[in-house]
Amino acid sequence: MSDVSDLTARSERRRRWFLRVAVLVLGVVAVATVWVTNVFLTERYTESTRNRAEVRLALYSGNLMSTLQRASVVPLLLSRDPALIGALNSADYSQTTQRLISYIEEIGAASLMLLDEDGRIVASTERQMLGADRRSSAYFVNAQRSSNTVFTTTQTESGAFAFSYARRVEVDGSMIGVIVVGVDLGQFERSWAGFSDAVMVTDSEGRIILATESRWRGLTEEEALARRSATGAIQRAIQATADWTVLPADAYVGGEAVMRQATRIPFQGWRMTSFTTYSSVRERVNGVLAVEIMGFALLFALGSALVSRKALSRLTFFQRESAELRRLNVALQREVAERERAEKHLEVAEQTVAQTSKLAVLGEMSAAVSHELNQPLAAMKTYLAGARLLVERKRPDEALSSFHRIDDLIERMGAITRQLKSYARKGGTALEPLDFRDCLSSALALMEPQLKRRAVHIERTVPTAPVPIVADRIRVEQVIVNLLRNAIDATSNLDDPRIELILAMGDSAMLTVRDNGHGITDFDQLFEPFYTTKAPGDGTGLGLAISSGIVADLGGRLTARNGRAGGALFEMQLPLHTAALQAAE
């Protein structure tokens, strides 16, 4: 039976290994195929797109050059028009504007203007320009200086550029006026904008004078490509993640990768540059890649369907096991809940035992306290008898002194009863900043009657500076009282009982209680509940166990060992209150 199970396990492991290898091989083949296809098609479609962009660029530059050449001969013809020359000589321009308007329809120019020798517009196809002074305009100044037709480019207030040909009108070698022919090159900007290409024309200085992007005019190519809004920069960062199917981009326009084509225009050093997007390349390449990825996805789906049958049977088996595990989990939760309830009952019982132990200690101290109260009561009786006698002898001042002594005795009796009442209360869980020295003094005051009755010599070493701790005062005093009672019991058979108390402050607060008794014999069971070396009826064996738990709850520890000179030595260590130390510093 065992051999059959081993064979089944080995067969299952081989099947899983074969499936993993098959999936890995298919994944590698899919990635390699997609990668090779992407590289091959990207290069092919990119080259095709680049060739089409070059053809369009040649067409654009040819149309632009044709328009410039056609408009360049118009100023020469108009400068020899007898009607215009006659109007300039006679200064009669009543029919000149209408004549220019009739010319513009035949010539196809953007505008025509006639200026007199002073630079004033005397006739224009744009009537609102009549009478304007243009003596400082570039086309007028250039025409004055040259006897040939001059081409002028000026930038308007809107940022667009105006293009014009100008030629002086002469009679017998002297200038009588200037004819200006405006050329509409902005029509090409509008026609270029209908395609996906971004086109610009730069002059000999590299300044953009025509562009499909109006914000580019007047800038250099580098400045134009660098100018983009914050949104465009974000779009470029997003687009960069989508350009994995293209070759390295020549430039970025509007945050999109483009290929750059440039050609020279044979006119005054002009150059034309176009930027073509890779969108068509991406669409065509991604279409093929999508088909390939879909095919590999179908292969993966087919393999998954074949494997799923076996997985379904195993899933049914696992579901049955899961149901069994859920039933076991419910039973375990019930057991855990029962244990938690038992622990809560145990915790309540431990608190009750601790309080009972404390009350037992209180009862043991009550006899000594009653003896301590008898002494001031007897003294009060004596002082009252003396005061009565002094009052009868008419000596009220001395009688008042006796009453003051009685008041002091009453205050002392009240302090003793307050200590008993405070010790009898249950300690709370609220912690507060305390001075360890005050807790030690209160515990000594509480144990003072027993210490006096047994004539125990106390040696106390306490620092002058406060020892700040954060604890429950009642519980700290309870621990100190338990340690003092153990020390008193340990020295009960000695003629010279001594207890040494040392309070020190370093990284933590440390209280050392050392006696000169017989020492500790069993360290293993020292802090175990109900362990005691006293005679039956003299102790419950809970004092040290309760004290150790209290100190641990406060974040400290209680340790015990035998001193070098004999006797037991207990060390109570508590963490210092850091905030109080910083305030004191």
Side-chain angles (χ1 to χ4, degrees), residues 142-371:
N142 293 336
Q144 283 182 316
R145 295 175 180 175
S146 176
S147 59
N148 298 320
T149 302
V150 294
F151 182 81
T152 305
T153 301
T154 57
Q155 190 170 11
T156 63
E157 296 179 355
S158 63
F161 284 86
F163 307 94
S164 61
Y165 283 101
R167 187 180 180 92
R168 58 192 295 174
V169 181
E170 298 179 344
V171 174
D172 298 332
S174 63
M175 188 185 80
I176 61 174
V178 174
I179 185 70
V180 180
V181 179
V183 183
D184 182 16
L185 299 183
Q187 59 180 325
F188 295 106
E189 291 181 330
R190 295 186 289 274
S191 65
W192 297 339
F195 296 89
S196 60
D197 297 358
V199 183
M200 66 172 65
V201 177
T202 57
D203 58 14
S204 59
E205 299 177 353
R207 181 181 56 171
I208 299 175
I209 55 178
L210 290 173
T212 54
E213 299 285 340
S214 59
R215 57 181 178 174
W216 288 357
R217 299 189 189 110
L219 304 175
T220 63
E221 181 179 343
E222 291 77 10
E223 293 173 344
L225 295 180
R227 173 174 290 188
R228 63 174 57 87
S229 62
T231 305
I234 295 174
Q235 291 176 348
R236 175 180 175 181
I238 297 174
Q239 186 66 33
T241 62
D243 289 339
W244 68 279
T245 60
V246 300
L247 297 173
D250 298 333
Y252 283 89
V253 176
E256 186 175 3
V258 295
M259 63 177 70
R260 181 182 181 276
Q261 299 289 333
T263 186
R264 188 179 65 85
I265 299 176
F267 180 79
Q268 295 191 357
W270 285 12
R271 293 185 64 84
M272 179 178 288
T273 306
S274 69
F275 301 95
T276 306
T277 64
Y278 288 95
S279 58
S280 61
V281 177
R282 282 196 299 271
E283 291 173 359
R284 298 171 68 181
V285 173
N286 291 344
V288 177
L289 295 181
V291 173
E292 290 185 349
I293 294 174
M294 185 178 299
F296 285 111
L298 291 175
L299 289 178
F300 276 111
L302 180 60
S304 299
L306 295 176
V307 176
S308 62
R309 293 184 178 180
K310 182 65 175 178
L312 182 61
S313 61
R314 296 180 62 84
L315 179 60
T316 304
F317 173 73
F318 287 147
Q319 287 177 345
R320 288 196 298 267
E321 287 191 344
S322 299
E324 183 65 24
L325 289 174
R326 283 194 295 270
R327 287 193 295 271
L328 293 176
N329 189 26
V330 171
L332 182 60
Q333 288 178 353
R334 293 197 194 98
E335 184 177 353
V336 170
E338 293 177 358
R339 289 182 178 271
E340 289 179 350
R341 286 194 296 269
E343 289 178 357
K344 290 181 180 179
H345 293 327
L346 180 60
E347 183 179 356
V348 173
E350 288 178 351
Q351 293 178 356
T352 304
V353 170
Q355 182 67 11
T356 304
S357 176
K358 188 162 61 173
L359 293 176
V361 174
L362 186 64
E364 184 179 342
M365 292 188 297
S366 62
V369 171
S370 63
H371 174 73

Side-chain angles (χ1 to χ4, degrees), residues 65-119:
M65 195 63 200
S66 176
T67 300
L68 291 172
Q69 289 176 349
R70 186 171 61 251
S72 63
V73 301
V74 175
L76 177 62
L77 297 176
L78 293 181
S79 66
R80 298 176 182 178
D81 188 345
L84 298 180
I85 295 174
L88 290 172
N89 287 328
S90 63
D92 182 9
Y93 308 109
S94 58
Q95 300 297 323
T96 306
T97 296
Q98 186 61 37
R99 189 176 184 83
L100 292 179
I101 293 175
S102 65
Y103 286 161
I104 198 171
E105 296 177 354
E106 299 176 3
I107 297 172
S111 63
L112 295 175
M113 290 188 299
L114 181 65
L115 287 73
D116 61 12
E117 59 182 347
D118 295 328

Side-chain angles (χ1 to χ4, degrees), residues 56-71:
R56 282 197 301 271
L57 192 63
L59 179 62
Y60 293 163
S61 61
N63 293 337
L64 181 64
M65 195 63 200
S66 176
T67 300
L68 291 172
Q69 289 176 349
R70 186 171 61 251

Side-chain angles (χ1 to χ4, degrees), residues 448-458 488 491 494-498:
E448 184 179 1
Q450 296 187 43
L451 294 172
K452 287 184 177 180
R453 187 181 63 187
R454 298 192 181 184
V456 179
H457 178 66
I458 298 293
I488 293 173
T491 58
L494 301 180
D495 297 333
D496 183 19
R498 294 191 310 275

Side-chain angles (χ1 to χ4, degrees), residues 294-552:
M294 185 178 299
F296 285 111
L298 291 175
L299 289 178
F300 276 111
L302 180 60
S304 299
L306 295 176
V307 176
S308 62
R309 293 184 178 180
K310 182 65 175 178
L312 182 61
S313 61
R314 296 180 62 84
L315 179 60
T316 304
F317 173 73
F318 287 147
Q319 287 177 345
R320 288 196 298 267
E321 287 191 344
S322 299
E324 183 65 24
L325 289 174
R326 283 194 295 270
R327 287 193 295 271
L328 293 176
N329 189 26
V330 171
L332 182 60
Q333 288 178 353
R334 293 197 194 98
E335 184 177 353
V336 170
E338 293 177 358
R339 289 182 178 271
E340 289 179 350
R341 286 194 296 269
E343 289 178 357
K344 290 181 180 179
H345 293 327
L346 180 60
E347 183 179 356
V348 173
E350 288 178 351
Q351 293 178 356
T352 304
V353 170
Q355 182 67 11
T356 304
S357 176
K358 188 162 61 173
L359 293 176
V361 174
L362 186 64
E364 184 179 342
M365 292 188 297
S366 62
V369 171
S370 63
H371 174 73
E372 189 70 15
L373 292 177
N374 286 333
Q375 293 179 357
L377 286 173
M380 288 172 58
K381 184 176 181 180
T382 304
Y383 287 138
L384 284 173
R388 185 184 298 110
L389 183 60
L390 291 172
V391 170
E392 292 176 354
R393 295 182 179 180
K394 308 299 184 180
R395 294 162 62 183
D397 293 338
E398 296 180 11
L400 185 60
S401 176
S402 298
F403 290 138
H404 284 312
R405 292 191 182 95
I406 293 173
D407 186 61
D408 292 339
L409 292 173
I410 294 173
E411 184 65 28
R412 181 181 176 185
M413 294 170 63
I416 294 173
T417 57
R418 281 196 301 273
Q419 290 169 357
L420 288 174
K421 181 179 179 181
S422 174
Y423 186 77
R425 289 201 311 267
K426 287 187 177 181
T429 58
L431 306 181
E432 59 179 341
L434 301 172
D435 187 351
F436 208 160
R437 302 178 305 171
D438 297 338
C439 297
L440 179 59
S441 299
S442 298
L444 285 173
L446 196 62
M447 295 296 296
E448 184 179 1
Q450 296 187 43
L451 294 172
K452 287 184 177 180
R453 187 181 63 187
R454 298 192 181 184
V456 179
H457 178 66
I458 298 293
E459 296 180 7
R460 181 168 56 174
T461 303
V462 180
T464 57
V467 182
I469 59 174
V470 177
D472 180 7
R473 184 185 189 94
I474 302 302
R475 301 173 74 189
V476 172
E477 292 178 2
Q478 180 180 355
V479 174
I480 299 175
V481 167
N482 286 336
L483 295 178
L484 288 174
R485 289 185 65 252
N486 285 341
I488 293 173
D489 293 339
T491 58
S492 59
N493 299 325
L494 301 180
D495 297 333
D496 183 19
R498 294 191 310 275
I499 298 177
E500 184 178 0
L501 302 174
I502 302 175
L503 181 59
M505 179 175 63
D507 295 337
S508 59
M510 176 79 75
L511 174 63
T512 302
V513 181
R514 179 189 291 117
D515 60 60
N516 61 341
H518 50 75
I520 302 171
T521 57
D522 189 353
F523 287 96
D524 295 336
Q525 300 184 9
L526 183 63
F527 293 104
E528 294 294 330
F530 305 108
Y531 171 75
T532 179
T533 57
K534 302 175 185 178
D538 292 340
T540 61
L542 295 174
L544 289 178
I546 294 172
S547 299
S548 178
I550 291 174
V551 175

